[in-house]
Amino acid sequence: MEQKSSAAAVGGDYKYGFVTDIETDTVPKGLNEDIIRMISAKKNEPEWMLEYRLKAFRHWQTMEEPTWANVQYPKIDFQDIIYYSAPKKNAEGPKTLDELDPELLKTFERLGIPLSEQKRISGVAVDAVFDSVSVGTTHKDTLAKHGVIFCSISEAMHTHGDLVRKYLGSVVPISDNFYAALNAAVFTDGSFVYVPKGVTCPIDLSTYFRINASETGQFERTLVIADEGSFVNYLEGCTAPQRDENQLHAAVVELIALDHAEIKYSTVQNWYTGDKEGRGGIYNFVTKRGKCAGRESKISWTQVESGSAITWKYPSCVLLGEGSQGAFYSVALTHDYMQADTGTKMIHVGKNTKSTIISKGISTGHSKNSYRGQVKIMPSAEGARNYSQCDSMLVGDKSSANTYPYIEVKNSTAVLEHEASTSRISEDQLFYLQSRGLDTEQAISMLVQGFCKDVFKQLPLEFSVEAVKLIEMKLENSVG
Amino acid sequence: MEKDMAQTLLEIRDLHASVEGKHVLKGLNLTIRPGEVHAIMGPNGSGKSTLSKVIAGHPAYEVTAGSVRYEINFQMRDLLEMEPDVRAKEGIFLAFQYPIEVPGVSNIAFLRTSFNAILKHQGSQELDETQFAEFVNKKLEIVKMDPRFLDRPVNVGFSGGEKKRNEILQMAVLSPRVAFLDETDSGLDIDALRIVADGVNRLRTKDNAIVLVTHYQRLLDYVVPDFVHVLADGRIVETGDKSLAVTLEARGYDWLVK
């Protein structure tokens, strides 16, 4: 009998790899102040927005691309990217959903996100972002009744300019890092959420990001503000066509939770990963940060990172408010030649702030999977607590896992616990499951799901089911 | 001849196997028929556990010579050609000496996945969660297990005795045709031993066969075997009935092992 090797390629078929044939309105390739002015003009932005962009661009020009992450890729030529591409009919901003280009409706339906009135998903409001623009948002009326604002950020600039102006860049300033500065200069769309005082958002909010056009980068910006005592559950999904070239996705997400507010932010990231030889795929260089500005406020990031050729992403929390809490729950699965360097930062500023980090990395094939996390306790953070657990699982013998924990404590009353482990799926574990009738793929999938359970249970139910299916599909060919 | 073949469930001929380069089984012969209970006894290192692992298909154990044939639909098939999961789907079961922990996976989810994998292989309708819960609840009683065991992760935090009972529960759910119980009695106190033995007896039918791999005679007081074999240095050196076990208990293995 020949034992199948568990080191072979993983991946399965990427069923979201199709391209939508649609007329687009694009700007010329490359990046300079004229391009930024052009984008701003296309979006008919207020003057302060253009100023913000130009300031960011000027700052970006002084910055260097970061090289500290444990990922390798050829230098990106930022002049070889198209910074704006929108479906033509929609260039002036979204109209009613039923008036959308049928091609777009079809695309989102194929992705499992029906947008039209009759077909829309009942329990979730969706903002659909296609390349550079939001093409539509569902359930707006229901939300409006509760005073919840959920729309594209471009729309919000006009309708709620004061809020956007007040909070944009308040968590991730333009100077924060290279990709955040780039995003601030060229971001084209994204979602805007405002949940008023004391309101529990009646349905989940969700943004679905789709990259379609070639040679185009997607730079979206999401801003979520939870006012005092409010609650919102926010979900995010993403896919892109299968192409041989790499495409850049550099998003910025900012969350603000005021007194006693809570934001739960979940992501299932399934950008195209590249093929089995490592050709193509999305470079996912994302800055996500939440500010627990108010007392007893809570922000949690839950992510299932299963896509992209390269992931560089550290959803973080700044815990300012007294007794505020931050959490990061992550599953990162890499296969073939994928590279992921992901983790979190928990910055404790307020008294009695608490943070929890649970990270599960699974590497298969030739992939590299790194956890990088920072826990920082500032002198003011009396009584701060952190619990971190970072586990890595290796499948096969050509993959690698790394853990880089950085801990900085400037207040002696802080209590920190850190646990870490690296395991390989053992022959005995696999054999045990096989001897109960599970084939190798089923067995690995079961072991991986067990490994990820603490994170999956943080996801909203439907999302959790999706995540399990996604991981199963990704592992399908892991043992061919 | 045809008839004889149909009556044989498992036929092991001149089996040689090694693990980590060490030659452990050295020409083992054993024929198992439906309805039989065999006990395989022998000193440490005689190859008892190796035999169980080879039958179940553990990848670390290499068969260097001989054959193992297994009856499927009245045809003797080469068992060694089959992947471990296929063997399980065809009714081979191994109760592990050291059951493996599967963190994060509930016992019931594991049992259901396993049971459904076998149903699917047989072309039967798989059971949904409700149907399976009902089915498994009846099986719990066989090993006197509390239903709360079903929600705990597989073997994680189980005591030695609980792990062994859990193995028998799996056996009860999967209804194998040939079950190897690898030292299922070791590490059990007398109450647990009775429960396990009682469970095994209740799972004994005229169509299946059970092979008890054990160090001690005491399990055989509760599960009475049709045959007792003594394994020494990778071969069966003596075969008898229940009384052989009693003799072994009194005289040890030395008189058989030269």
Side-chain angles (χ1 to χ4, degrees):
Chain A
M1 186 195 75
E2 204 183 75
Q3 179 61 23
K4 289 180 176 181
S5 149
S6 56
V10 185
D13 289 321
Y14 185 70
K15 65 173 172 179
Y16 308 106
F18 64 92
V19 180
T20 307
D21 191 11
I22 198 162
E23 254 192 287
T24 54
D25 174 19
T26 53
V27 299
K29 221 178 229 186
L31 184 56
N32 52 54
E33 292 201 4
D34 289 343
I35 292 280
I36 291 168
R37 285 175 204 280
M38 208 183 291
I39 292 172
S40 191
K42 274 186 186 299
K43 302 175 75 61
N44 192 25
E45 287 177 352
E47 186 59 29
W48 59 265
M49 194 60 239
L50 176 63
E51 284 311 312
Y52 180 87
R53 291 177 180 280
L54 291 173
K55 197 174 147 203
F57 178 65
R58 285 165 200 149
H59 189 80
W60 177 73
Q61 286 176 306
T62 68
M63 298 173 95
E64 295 280 332
E65 210 174 326
T67 53
W68 45 262
N70 185 24
V71 293
Q72 267 117 41
Y73 56 94
K75 212 164 166 51
I76 297 171
D77 180 355
F78 290 93
Q79 296 305 333
D80 197 32
I81 293 172
I82 297 168
Y83 287 85
Y84 182 86
S85 173
K88 211 158 209 167
K89 287 177 187 156
N90 202 45
E92 303 87 41
K95 302 189 181 80
T96 78
L97 288 166
D98 288 335
E99 277 172 46
L100 269 183
D101 185 318
E103 276 303 311
L104 280 175
L105 286 175
K106 238 191 280 171
T107 300
F108 280 97
E109 215 166 308
R110 236 177 120 176
L111 297 168
I113 319 287
L115 299 174
S116 66
E117 272 309 309
Q118 303 85 357
K119 293 181 185 161
R120 64 185 194 184
I121 307 162
S122 59
V124 186
V126 179
D127 183 22
V129 177
F130 189 87
D131 289 328
S132 302
V133 295
S134 162
V135 295
T137 311
T138 66
H139 293 284
K140 272 174 129 166
D141 308 346
T142 319
L143 293 168
K145 269 181 225 153
H146 292 81
V148 175
I149 304 161
F150 181 39
C151 62
S152 74
I153 200 158
S154 312
E155 195 183 331
M157 269 174 220
H158 298 285
T159 54
H160 301 87
D162 49 336
L163 281 172
V164 176
R165 203 170 175 179
K166 180 171 174 192
Y167 289 108
L168 187 74
S170 70
V171 187
V172 180
I174 51 174
S175 58
D176 190 78
N177 71 72
F178 184 81
Y179 294 106
L182 177 64
N183 175 285
V186 303
F187 79 86
T188 46
D189 220 334
S191 302
F192 175 80
V193 177
Y194 173 78
V195 189
K197 273 183 195 171
V199 170
T200 293
C201 191
I203 51 177
D204 293 349
L205 306 184
S206 159
T207 304
Y208 194 91
F209 296 101
R210 174 69 177 175
I211 294 180
N212 186 64
S214 63
E215 300 177 89
T216 302
Q218 191 178 54
F219 305 91
E220 89 270 359
R221 187 103 192 178
T222 297
L223 181 57
V224 180
I225 304 148
D227 212 327
E228 293 172 19
S230 68
F231 172 82
V232 62
N233 209 2
Y234 187 92
L235 323 168
E236 172 191 74
C238 24
T239 56
Q242 224 156 319
R243 294 186 202 280
D244 284 346
E245 83 216 38
N246 295 105
Q247 278 178 282
L248 179 62
H249 171 255
V252 172
V253 175
E254 297 175 279
L255 312 182
I256 296 114
L258 301 180
D259 284 359
H260 303 281
E262 180 171 3
I263 302 172
K264 284 189 167 184
Y265 195 105
S266 307
T267 305
V268 172
Q269 188 262 105
N270 188 21
W271 293 118
Y272 178 53
T273 60
D275 66 13
K276 295 216 169 284
E277 277 76 47
R279 266 192 308 266
I282 301 290
Y283 291 164
N284 189 37
F285 299 157
V286 170
T287 305
K288 289 183 168 175
R289 195 173 304 150
K291 181 152 86 179
C292 279
R295 290 173 67 94
E296 316 265 324
S297 57
K298 289 182 190 170
I299 289 178
S300 76
W301 297 100
T302 305
Q303 60 171 16
V304 176
E305 296 290 314
S306 68
S308 301
I310 302 177
T311 296
W312 178 98
K313 178 183 169 187
Y314 314 90
S316 304
C317 296
V318 182
L319 304 169
L320 289 176
E322 192 175 326
S324 61
Q325 297 181 21
F328 173 73
Y329 304 102
S330 169
V331 164
L333 170 72
T334 54
H335 56 77
D336 295 310
Y337 286 89
M338 285 166 69
Q339 305 176 58
D341 193 303
T342 186
T344 184
K345 282 192 273 188
M346 292 291 171
I347 316 292
H348 292 252
V349 183
K351 278 183 191 161
N352 300 320
T353 45
K354 247 165 86 172
S355 61
T356 306
I357 298 171
I358 296 183
S359 161
K360 306 278 180 174
I362 303 126
S363 350
T364 75
H366 293 78
S367 68
K368 285 206 289 196
N369 200 328
S370 303
Y371 167 81
R372 190 182 301 276
Q374 183 183 41
V375 178
K376 198 171 184 174
I377 312 285
M378 304 302 275
S380 53
E382 197 81 16
R385 297 179 79 99
N386 162 268
Y387 173 75
S388 304
Q389 188 188 336
C390 309
D391 300 321
S392 311
M393 181 183 259
L394 299 169
V395 182
D397 54 12
K398 292 189 177 64
S399 56
S400 66
N402 293 287
T403 301
Y404 305 99
Y406 306 94
I407 294 167
E408 204 179 313
V409 180
K410 291 182 177 152
N411 185 308
S412 60
T413 62
V415 180
L416 283 82
E417 283 177 79
H418 182 89
E419 289 176 35
S421 76
T422 301
S423 56
R424 202 173 278 279
I425 289 186
S426 78
E427 202 172 51
D428 282 332
Q429 256 183 333
L430 215 47
F431 174 61
Y432 187 61
L433 301 190
Q434 287 172 313
S435 77
R436 298 300 181 251
L438 278 67
D439 63 33
T440 317
E441 287 165 16
Q442 266 182 311
I444 290 181
S445 172
M446 178 171 271
L447 291 168
V448 168
Q449 278 172 38
F451 177 72
C452 300
K453 195 188 173 200
D454 290 344
V455 175
F456 285 163
K457 73 180 182 200
Q458 298 294 334
L459 289 169
L461 186 62
E462 315 88 271
F463 241 42
S464 163
V465 171
E466 275 302 301
V468 167
K469 268 196 248 164
L470 183 60
I471 297 289
E472 235 164 46
M473 195 184 80
K474 296 263 171 182
L475 288 167
E476 222 161 62
N477 299 333
S478 71
V479 282
Chain B
M1 181 68 185
E2 279 296 307
K3 196 161 168 274
D4 269 3
M5 294 295 273
Q7 281 182 347
T8 301
L9 251 185
L10 190 73
E11 185 186 57
I12 304 169
R13 285 288 165 264
D14 191 32
L15 186 63
H16 291 255
S18 53
V19 59
E20 289 164 1
K22 193 171 166 245
H23 194 185
V24 183
L25 296 183
K26 301 170 180 169
L28 188 139
N29 293 291
L30 182 65
T31 301
I32 296 167
R33 295 182 180 80
E36 293 177 350
V37 173
H38 293 250
I40 295 180
M41 305 185 73
N44 281 335
S46 59
K48 299 192 300 293
S49 276
T50 299
L51 175 62
S52 309
K53 298 259 172 61
V54 167
I55 297 300
H58 194 296
Y61 294 77
E62 193 196 351
V63 173
T64 52
S67 68
V68 179
R69 301 201 308 152
Y70 177 55
E71 186 266 311
I72 298 171
N73 294 329
F74 307 107
Q75 279 194 322
M76 295 308 283
R77 303 264 300 271
D78 184 352
L79 185 74
L80 302 177
E81 287 261 293
M82 299 174 200
E83 294 290 334
D85 62 293
V86 176
R87 300 184 196 195
K89 285 167 182 149
E90 291 293 353
I92 300 282
F93 181 84
L94 169 62
F96 281 54
Q97 182 179 2
Y98 303 111
I100 307 289
E101 298 183 359
V102 190
V105 177
S106 74
N107 221 6
I108 191 160
F110 174 53
L111 284 166
R112 189 165 80 94
T113 308
S114 171
F115 187 67
N116 278 340
I118 291 171
L119 286 184
K120 193 176 171 194
H121 181 76
Q122 294 168 343
S124 307
Q125 181 74 40
E126 297 173 42
L127 297 192
D128 65 27
E129 280 181 42
T130 322
Q131 292 167 321
F132 185 73
E134 204 175 305
F135 168 79
V136 80
N137 268 308
K138 290 184 198 134
K139 304 288 178 187
L140 281 175
E141 187 263 332
I142 293 175
V143 280
K144 303 203 162 40
M145 266 167 90
D146 197 295
R148 67 194 162 83
F149 273 93
L150 295 175
D151 296 322
R152 287 173 50 182
V154 182
N155 294 324
V156 178
F158 285 28
S159 71
E162 287 166 349
K163 284 183 180 172
K164 296 297 175 75
R165 274 199 268 169
N166 205 27
E167 294 291 288
I168 304 304
L169 175 65
Q170 292 174 22
M171 177 177 163
V173 167
L174 303 180
S175 323
R177 301 174 68 216
V178 179
F180 276 71
L181 274 52
D182 191 5
E183 308 222 5
T184 297
D185 53 337
S186 65
L188 294 186
D189 63 31
I190 196 72
D191 293 331
L193 181 72
R194 276 201 186 121
I195 292 170
V196 165
D198 184 48
V200 172
N201 280 328
R202 291 179 56 179
L203 296 172
R204 206 170 161 172
T205 72
K206 65 175 181 22
D207 299 318
N208 68 16
I210 294 169
V211 181
L212 306 166
V213 176
T214 180
H215 259 301
Y216 307 105
Q217 189 257 337
R218 65 173 194 167
L219 174 66
L220 308 182
D221 287 340
Y222 299 96
V223 184
V224 181
D226 302 297
F227 302 95
V228 174
H229 309 279
V230 178
L231 187 60
D233 195 24
R235 249 174 251 136
I236 288 180
V237 294
E238 186 77 22
T239 294
D241 60 13
K242 165 82 174 62
S243 63
L244 176 58
V246 179
T247 312
L248 290 171
E249 187 81 352
R251 295 180 59 191
Y253 293 108
D254 287 351
W255 62 283
L256 287 167
V257 185
K258 274 122 214 163

